[in-house]
Amino acid sequence: AGDPAVGKSALAQMFRSDGAHFQKNYTLTTGIELLVKAVSVPETSDSVEFFIFDSAGKDLFSEMLEKLWEQPNVLCLVYDVTNEQSFNNCDKWLEKLRAQAVGVHIPGVLVGNKTDLADRRVVEQEQAQEWAEKHGLEYCEMSVKEMKNFEAPFHILAKLFHELYKEKVETFHSLA
């Protein structure tokens, strides 16, 4: 989730193609695109299969998105490091996502994209890191365009989901 033009679709497409293809021209995502991909869980021999909803950032589509976002397991919130408003709107996006699972902790990651535009940067890493920690999220930065660190959010999410899964299995076994 995140504002329009922060790099959500570019990130999803790079991830799907294993970094083989960066599309220079994107059209505005209208609605949602579903991507399915298995990801190895770092430091384990396990893998998880992600159903990734690449969603539109426009408010125009938010009502439809809320129906499709029902009960997310993990979340990936993306902002543009050169656009302070996209960072400020992370509060709104997080609130919308968490409203889909009231009373349930949804682990996730805040992703600062477009680090290749360092001379235009307005959101500092420390500021975003603090925001992420305050909201119980992991944090990473990347440049999809330069193919730098674009897999990091997915590895973080795989590890978070795996931990959540293990906790649920342990809870289940303790009930038996």
Side-chain angles (χ1 to χ4, degrees):
D3 278 3
V6 296
K8 299 180 305 294
S9 294
L11 172 60
Q13 296 304 324
M14 284 291 283
F15 181 65
R16 177 166 62 184
S17 70
D18 291 320
H21 181 67
F22 175 76
Q23 190 173 335
K24 290 188 169 123
N25 296 312
Y26 281 90
T27 56
L28 176 69
T29 304
T30 55
I32 240 170
E33 183 177 345
L34 174 64
L35 304 160
V36 181
K37 184 171 178 177
V39 179
S40 296
V41 178
E43 302 162 18
T44 73
S45 59
D46 297 330
S47 66
V48 296
E49 188 169 55
F50 279 133
F51 288 75
I52 301 166
F53 293 98
D54 175 19
S55 57
K58 288 277 190 197
D59 280 337
L60 173 68
F61 304 110
S62 66
E63 193 173 309
M64 176 182 61
L65 295 177
E66 288 168 17
K67 287 180 174 67
L68 292 169
W69 280 345
E70 284 185 11
Q71 299 180 331
N73 296 109
V74 291
L75 64 93
C76 182
L77 193 53
V78 183
Y79 75 95
D80 174 351
V81 301
T82 71
N83 179 333
E84 191 167 14
Q85 190 61 50
S86 74
F87 175 70
N88 293 339
N89 286 341
C90 287
D91 279 312
K92 173 189 77 168
W93 287 108
L94 187 60
E95 187 179 309
K96 283 182 180 188
L97 285 159
R98 290 201 164 146
Q100 299 306 309
V102 177
V104 177
H105 172 68
I106 306 170
V109 61
L110 175 66
V111 180
N113 188 27
K114 304 189 183 182
T115 57
D116 55 294
L117 302 173
D119 57 329
R120 293 177 33 203
R121 183 178 193 129
V122 293
V123 180
E124 294 305 320
Q125 184 173 358
E126 298 78 27
Q127 177 187 8
Q129 179 76 49
E130 285 176 20
W131 188 92
E133 287 174 13
K134 178 180 150 193
H135 292 89
L137 301 173
E138 299 289 323
Y139 180 71
C140 69
E141 292 191 342
M142 65 182 184
S143 168
V144 174
K145 183 178 180 182
E146 292 185 344
M147 296 187 231
K148 288 186 179 166
N149 215 25
F150 71 90
E151 290 182 321
F154 299 101
H155 289 145
I156 291 168
L157 291 171
K159 190 172 182 180
L160 290 170
F161 180 78
H162 190 254
E163 289 169 3
L164 194 63
Y165 172 77
K166 286 192 320 190
E167 287 173 16
K168 287 184 179 181
V169 167
E170 286 174 22
T171 301
F172 180 75
H173 287 305
S174 71
L175 298 173

